[in-house]
């Protein structure tokens, strides 16, 4: 048989989740449309995950800047808090005061409309828009201010917004260096813990046509069933571990 | 209160699935990178679904060309067969014999790497590549031919390939006008029913670096829980039906 395969790379540790590469490919292909984007990838692992080629094209790839320490069991702390705080720390360490920009906290399985990135001018403060699930959006009216929130869950929260439902002006973030996500925040209060250190609810600026457009969807990818792979492995015919999935 | 909202559009029937718009937005933003793409959208509904603005930008939108008749209960027939056959019929009715092109059967919740569309030259026949789930890929070797398939499920099938794992040259499809998906095909044999009318397994042309790259992921989007929306509706505070999600 003619050896047609290219030389095989060394074995790599598998990604933490089976669908991680698919999600990164998909998200990177959306972000690839956006000019002047700086994508800070903060991994949920103690060391950078070897996902060669997940981002497209390679020259748009940002190396992981801040790998968090291993975190405790998920029932002890809200997920992804240390990671997001490390990203905030990195911004404060590397950006000059007054540097323009908008900071958005994205998740690899959410769905982002490109229209989200056409939302301008950002006035450099803090913006709330429609987002979350079908039952979750900020409601706006009256002089370009957010006058209330449409939510069923814990409406008494100061900022009952999903992580995907707001963006922060970089100058504001740099001017309030103490603002961060509280790892001890009660469930649902993580967003409020950051936002409370930045603005009052009345200072929110409605975006997305006065909060009437949904531009982000809180989609989740199903965990794939791997029974067939397990069966093949029991038979000694498992999938080639050199092929990255 | 100043009326800041734009005039509201008339009420529209909801999409068949809660995540349909998110999936279409996400897929359209990937396909938007691809030049010379003709996207035939075949809807799984008796009439075109009103999903204004789902595709981005609007000028790339193709109107639904072939709405299938309502189909029977899912346990009677494989899903999406009539729809795909209507798309084949539309191609045969509108394309000139010998017109170049590659036909690919995409699903709105799968994940497609842009590298899939850089696979060329297509030799105008039929191509198999790696695809499906982590446990599913075509194995190739020996003179640029597909010499076997790596699968645990019904390996005795003539073409044990997932719908996402192959593409067909348009000239071949036009030259074999009787080839179609068999609505009566046994589970797992739908792909074989079309491919068997086009080529023999030995005529498959391996793509994706000799079937060593996974360029398509059979991702599925979780069905969202709408308990909070149901609760709001019971309280008479349901989400604004004019806001498309």
């Amino acid at each position: 048989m003619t050896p047609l395969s290219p030389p095989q790379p060394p074995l790599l540790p598998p990604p933490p989740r089976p669908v991680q590469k698919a999600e990164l490919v998909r998200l990177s292909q959306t972000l690839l449309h956006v000019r002047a984007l700086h994508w800070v990838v903060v991994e949920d692992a103690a060391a950078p995950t070897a996902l060669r080629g997940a981002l497209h094209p390679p020259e748009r790839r940002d190396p992981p800047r801040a790998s968090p320490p291993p975190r405790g069991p998920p029932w002890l702390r809200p997920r992804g808090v240390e990671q997001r705080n490390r990203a905030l720390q990195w911004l404060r360490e590397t950006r000059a005061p007054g540097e323009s920009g908008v900071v958005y906290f994205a998740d690899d399985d959410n769905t982002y409309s490109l229209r989200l990135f056409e939302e301008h001018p950002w006035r450099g403060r803090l913006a709330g828009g429609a987002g979350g699930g079908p039952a979750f959006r900020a409601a706006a009216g009256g002089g370009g201010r957010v006058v209330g929130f449409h939510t069923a869950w814990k409406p008494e929260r100061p900022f009952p917004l999903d992580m995907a439902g707001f963006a922060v002006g970089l100058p504001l973030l740099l001017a309030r260096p103490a603002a961060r996500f509280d790892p001890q925040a009660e469930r649902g209060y993580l967003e409020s813990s950051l936002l409370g250190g930045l603005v009052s609810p009345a200072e929110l600026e409605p975006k997305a046509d006065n909060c009437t457009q949904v531009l982000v969807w809180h989609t989740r990818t199903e965990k794939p069933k791997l029974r067939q792979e397990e069966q093949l492995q029991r038979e000694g015919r498992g999938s080639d571990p050199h092929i990255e999935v």
Side-chain angles (χ1 to χ4, degrees), chain A:
Chain A
M1 187 182 291
T2 325
L4 287 171
S5 300
Q8 290 185 333
L11 271 181
L12 290 162
R17 290 175 296 115
V19 295
Q20 184 174 19
K21 180 173 175 181
E23 288 177 344
L24 283 174
V25 165
R26 191 158 57 181
L27 178 56
S28 72
Q29 291 176 171
T30 285
L31 297 182
L32 188 58
H33 287 290
V34 185
R35 279 176 295 182
L37 177 94
H38 194 106
W39 187 8
V40 182
V41 180
V42 190
E43 287 196 272
D44 187 8
T49 315
L51 270 179
R52 288 163 297 112
L55 310 185
H56 182 102
E59 60 271 22
R60 290 291 293 261
R61 180 173 190 171
D62 275 312
R65 305 278 187 169
S67 288
R71 49 190 181 83
W75 57 90
L76 285 184
R77 315 188 203 179
R79 274 187 65 196
V81 183
E82 288 159 1
Q83 291 90 323
R84 291 188 183 92
N85 281 334
R86 291 290 285 267
L88 292 178
Q89 181 189 338
W90 179 80
L91 284 169
R92 285 163 175 151
E93 285 169 1
T94 60
R95 305 292 113 178
E99 189 172 328
S100 68
V102 173
V103 178
Y104 190 87
F105 300 94
D107 238 338
D108 47 10
D109 57 353
N110 282 357
T111 300
Y112 301 92
S113 166
L114 287 177
R115 291 178 185 158
L116 182 69
F117 305 99
E118 295 161 3
E119 283 289 313
H120 55 83
W122 296 86
R123 282 192 244 141
R125 297 286 287 178
L126 199 132
F136 195 88
R137 64 181 174 85
R145 295 208 171 280
V146 172
V147 296
F149 296 93
H150 177 71
T151 180
W153 191 57
K154 299 188 181 179
E156 67 279 10
R157 292 175 289 167
F159 296 90
L161 279 168
D162 186 85
M163 196 68 74
F166 65 88
V168 185
L170 179 60
L172 178 64
L173 211 52
L174 299 178
R176 308 275 162 87
R180 60 200 287 275
F181 294 103
D182 179 6
Q184 310 301 327
E186 196 189 325
R187 206 166 144 249
Y189 282 79
L190 192 60
E191 293 84 354
S192 295
S193 72
L194 173 74
L195 297 180
L198 293 168
V199 286
S200 70
E203 290 177 286
L204 284 175
E205 177 189 345
K207 306 297 286 185
D209 282 349
N210 222 24
C211 302
T212 62
Q213 301 293 317
V214 175
L215 302 181
V216 183
W217 294 264
H218 200 348
T219 41
R220 294 169 63 100
T221 311
E222 275 185 17
K223 205 177 162 209
K225 298 182 188 73
L226 296 177
R227 277 177 311 173
Q228 293 183 18
E229 176 64 22
E230 287 154 15
Q231 181 191 327
L232 284 169
Q233 286 179 0
R234 277 193 301 274
E235 297 167 4
R237 302 188 294 133
S239 293
D240 186 346
H242 293 92
I243 293 185
E244 184 179 277
V245 291

